[in-house]
Amino acid sequence: EGSVGVIVADDDGPAVSRALAAAGLDHLTLGSDHEDAAHRLHLVPATVAKGLEFDRVVVITAAMVYGADPANDLPVAKDAPLRAADDGGLVTDLLAVEQLAAAARPGGAAAGLTVRRPAMIVGRGADTMLTRHFAGPRLLHLQGERPVWQFCHVDDLLFACEYAGLVPTALPLPA
């Protein structure tokens, strides 16, 4: 059956863990849970990921890594260049996770590695400033501009991660 590692930015770990649990996906969070328990699905904070080995690795960052660049076509293609500016915060962390994923697949796509870059997460359990904005009585936007919104339902993200974890192939992460 093999093991599946879901690598996330450290700050996103608790939210992803809650979403996995809410979807009924039994998992272990490396670095915080009792690691002697037998689990197929492992939630891996990016700072813990180096040197680990899984049959499949699913890396979750965010569409923010593409950056708000006028050169980006809409919708942004999954192979578009990552144009986000290093902000010293969350985007910097996401870009670091992207660099780790790129190092794991030098020269192209690694068979055991999947990167998911969801847009704003919506659905059960998603409570952010932006989801609250959309729950309001009206949407604010700049006059004369047509806003473009992209969303990812939490169930769709979980399905995509589960689907990506179905094909076992050995993939060591760089030490």
Side-chain angles (χ1 to χ4, degrees), residues 121-128 131 154:
I121 303 291
V122 296
R124 145 185 103 248
D127 182 21
T128 66
T131 57
V154 66

Side-chain angles (χ1 to χ4, degrees), residues 96-112:
V97 172
E98 290 280 347
Q99 289 173 350
L100 178 64
R105 56 177 172 192

Side-chain angles (χ1 to χ4, degrees), residues 7-31:
I7 300 174
V8 297
D10 290 15
D11 291 345
D12 291 339
V16 173
S17 180
R18 285 191 301 275
L20 291 170
L25 297 173
D26 188 36
H27 65 283
L28 172 79
T29 301
L30 294 184

Side-chain angles (χ1 to χ4, degrees), residues 1 5 9 25 31-32 43 51 53 58 64 85 92 94 105 111 131 156 165:
E1 191 168 86
L25 297 173
S32 66
L43 184 60
E53 186 170 323
V58 180
M64 288 186 280
T92 299
L94 294 173
R105 56 177 172 192
T131 57
D156 293 330

Side-chain angles (χ1 to χ4, degrees), residues 30-170:
L30 294 184
S32 66
D33 290 335
H34 299 290
E35 297 183 21
D36 57 350
H39 288 81
R40 178 170 186 257
L41 180 61
H42 300 267
L43 184 60
V44 186
T47 55
V48 178
K50 251 186 158 175
L52 297 178
E53 186 170 323
F54 294 98
D55 296 305
R56 291 285 300 155
V57 175
V58 180
V59 177
I60 303 173
T61 63
M64 288 186 280
V65 297
Y66 294 117
D69 193 298
N72 289 339
D73 291 327
L74 294 175
V76 178
K78 67 181 180 182
D79 59 349
L82 306 182
R83 295 185 171 117
D86 185 342
D87 68 353
L90 174 62
V91 173
T92 299
D93 293 344
L94 294 173
L95 290 170
V97 172
E98 290 280 347
Q99 289 173 350
L100 178 64
R105 56 177 172 192
L113 177 67
T114 302
V115 177
R116 298 285 180 237
R117 298 178 185 111
M120 182 177 30
I121 303 291
V122 296
R124 145 185 103 248
D127 182 21
T128 66
M129 180 182 73
L130 290 173
T131 57
R132 289 179 185 193
H133 173 72
F134 288 100
R138 62 184 74 128
L139 294 176
L140 302 176
H141 67 277
L142 298 174
Q143 185 174 356
E145 295 293 323
R146 183 173 175 250
V148 178
W149 303 103
Q150 187 174 0
F151 304 97
C152 178
H153 194 277
V154 66
D155 291 342
D156 293 330
L157 176 59
L158 290 171
F159 174 78
C161 292
E162 184 178 24
Y163 182 78
L166 292 177
V167 183
T169 54

